[in-house]
Amino acid sequence: MPAHEAEELLKIERLTVAFSSLVRTVRAVRGCDLSIRRGEIMGLVGESGSGKTMLALAALDLVPPPGRVGGSIRLDGHEIVGAPEAETRKLRGRVAATIFQNPGKACNPFFTLGRQLTDVIRNARDCGRSEAWQVALDAFASVRIADPELALRKFPHQLSGGQLQRAMIAMALACEPKLLIADEPTTALDVTIRGQIILLLRDLARQRGLTVLFITHDLSIVASLCDRVTVMYAGRIVETGPVETVFSGPAHPYTASLLRAVPALGRGRAPLVQIPGSVPNMAAPPSGCAFHPRCAFADADCAAQDPAMRAIGVDRAVACHHPQSTMAP
């Protein structure tokens, strides 16, 4: 295996995810390429409906029916697309784990957290109940839950939102995965708790050498947590690169628009900037570049031809006919 492939824990090529019915087909992901190196934290951003969650679910072979997945997904050297369910099930927890957006809905309300966590650990590690309980205690302690023994004996509704999200992080990390996929894990939390969870994830990633795919709408989280950022729009990746480079000089007009739309201190009463129009209907996406109906730089080429990803610098690429490499946010 070439050295660069050995460094890539997750490699996605030409990924498509489509949902068909009798009257239409929704193309949630349309030919995405993405690679995440071992030990790095990758931020995945974009508006709601851009395909971020579907990309993450496809990486774990969890796309719900009637979804169809095409292309290639290699997770730690294992091909996911087309693999038997029994094989991909072995990778969940052991190689890759996920933290969902709403911890309350991710838990079974009829069982204690200890029961749920030990069941996960026993399934992944093939160990006894007493050993699994000790692993669960250590996992709760590692995410800084006060009195882990008491917390494990509680039901999900007996914990606060912040505590429950810590419990979900502990459940994801208890089986020592190599890749952690965090799908907007702080959306339902208040600002103070959100900051605590971000710091916790950053510390755990550094301590354990975790590879993280962090999905979010919040660009400030990406700036403080991630090494690289990937921007999605209408089921396609439109820009990727190091966080500092992309944020200081976005190349794609959509990336620049997202950055301008973020409220910032020090602007006084300056009006908020918004992106005109709305996210396209993925059952009938626009021709050419999907962003062209909302783009101030669009021309006839943009409306006629969907641009391919192309390199514009070291470890950086963009899908745009007219990349604005010096555009200020």
Side-chain angles (χ1 to χ4, degrees), residues 179-300:
L179 173 67
L180 177 64
I181 298 176
D183 188 1
E184 302 198 47
T186 60
T187 298
L189 307 177
D190 62 47
V191 174
T192 303
I193 302 302
R194 186 181 306 171
Q196 294 175 4
I197 295 298
I198 295 303
L199 289 174
L200 173 63
L201 284 171
R202 186 170 64 186
D203 291 345
L204 289 171
R206 289 174 176 173
Q207 293 166 9
R208 302 186 180 209
L210 273 174
T211 303
V212 181
L213 176 60
F214 195 96
I215 302 170
T216 183
H217 289 92
D218 194 330
L219 298 181
S220 64
I221 292 178
V222 175
S224 63
L225 177 68
C226 301
D227 304 309
R228 288 199 295 150
V229 61
T230 293
V231 183
M232 284 192 73
Y233 182 78
R236 286 207 62 198
I237 290 173
V238 297
E239 185 167 0
T240 185
V243 168
E244 184 176 348
T245 305
V246 172
F247 281 16
S248 62
H252 198 285
Y254 178 61
T255 308
S257 298
L258 287 177
L259 290 167
R260 290 196 188 101
V262 176
L265 295 175
R267 290 183 179 174
R269 293 183 176 272
L272 290 176
V273 177
Q274 64 178 359
I275 305 174
S278 59
V279 177
N281 178 2
M282 295 314 297
S287 61
C289 173
F291 188 60
H292 87 264
R294 309 172 71 185
C295 181
F297 300 92
D299 59 14

Side-chain angles (χ1 to χ4, degrees), residues 103 107-120 133 136 140 145 148 150-159 163-164 166-168 171:
C107 294
N108 189 321
F110 298 104
F111 296 99
T112 64
L113 291 166
R115 166 68 184 277
Q116 296 181 60
L117 187 50
T118 53
D119 283 350
V120 169
W133 184 263
F140 266 35
I145 291 180
L150 177 61
L152 282 171
R153 299 186 184 281
K154 290 183 176 181
F155 290 87
H157 71 273
Q158 295 176 303
L159 271 67
Q163 287 178 316
L164 193 55
R166 288 174 185 266
M168 292 298 94
M171 189 175 295

Side-chain angles (χ1 to χ4, degrees), residues 61-85:
D61 192 29
L62 290 175
V63 172
R68 304 190 315 275
V69 180
S72 172
I73 302 173
R74 294 193 66 81
L75 176 60
D76 197 29
H78 302 274
E79 178 59 51
I80 300 297
V81 178
E85 166 64 17

